[in-house]
């Protein structure tokens, strides 16, 4: 793993550490790395196993831009703090897209949803963010 690639999880962690995912409750982001020895490919079944969910848990797979859209959109009525948060989310999404391939967002569950944003490094290892969302 070259130095640059080693820095990607750190960069993602630093970009996401001040952000919370806003739903009916606010949750922080956690960064994770899975080696390609552990996880050859990421798909619904592998995600459920790797994250210790029941294999029949409901899963929605969505595009990373679509998932982050409401966080990255800059609204006319935003104050400076809201604009700053939107810009942080924009930087996070750009970094994910520039450094990871095959990025998908997996939303597991119904009301209390576990969210995994997962993409692949050039080395084949998987890097991502996890958070929770409450959607009633």
């Amino acid at each position: 793993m070259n130095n640059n690639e080693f820095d990607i999880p750190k960069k993602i962690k630093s970009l996401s550490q001040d952000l919370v995912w806003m739903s009916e409750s606010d949750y922080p982001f956690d960064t994770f790395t899975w080696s390609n020895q552990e996880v050859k490919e990421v798909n619904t079944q592998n995600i459920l196993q790797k994250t210790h969910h029941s294999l029949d848990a409901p899963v929605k797979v969505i595009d990373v831009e679509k998932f982050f859209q409401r966080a990255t959109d800059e609204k006319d009525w935003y104050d400076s703090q809201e604009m700053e948060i939107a810009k942080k989310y924009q930087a996070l999404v750009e970094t994910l897209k520039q450094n990871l391939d095959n990025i998908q967002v997996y939303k597991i569950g119904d009301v209390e949803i576990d969210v995994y944003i997962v993409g692949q490094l050039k080395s084949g290892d998987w890097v991502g963010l996890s958070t929770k969302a409450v959607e009633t």
Side-chain angles (χ1 to χ4, degrees), residues 37-83:
Q37 275 77 46
E38 258 181 299
V39 179
K40 291 282 180 236
E41 66 173 311
V42 168
N43 56 37
T44 301
Q45 187 166 7
N46 290 356
I47 282 273
L48 289 171
Q49 286 175 325
K50 186 74 186 135
T51 59
H52 310 294
H53 285 85
S54 153
L55 292 181
D56 56 9
V59 180
K60 276 193 203 123
V61 182
I62 56 177
D63 176 74
V64 69
E65 283 190 353
K66 185 176 177 195
F67 176 75
F68 281 113
Q69 187 172 5
R70 68 184 171 86
T72 56
D73 279 356
E74 294 179 23
K75 306 282 188 233
D76 300 341
W77 43 265
Y78 274 7
D79 64 25
S80 59
Q81 188 181 6
E82 289 166 318
M83 277 303 218

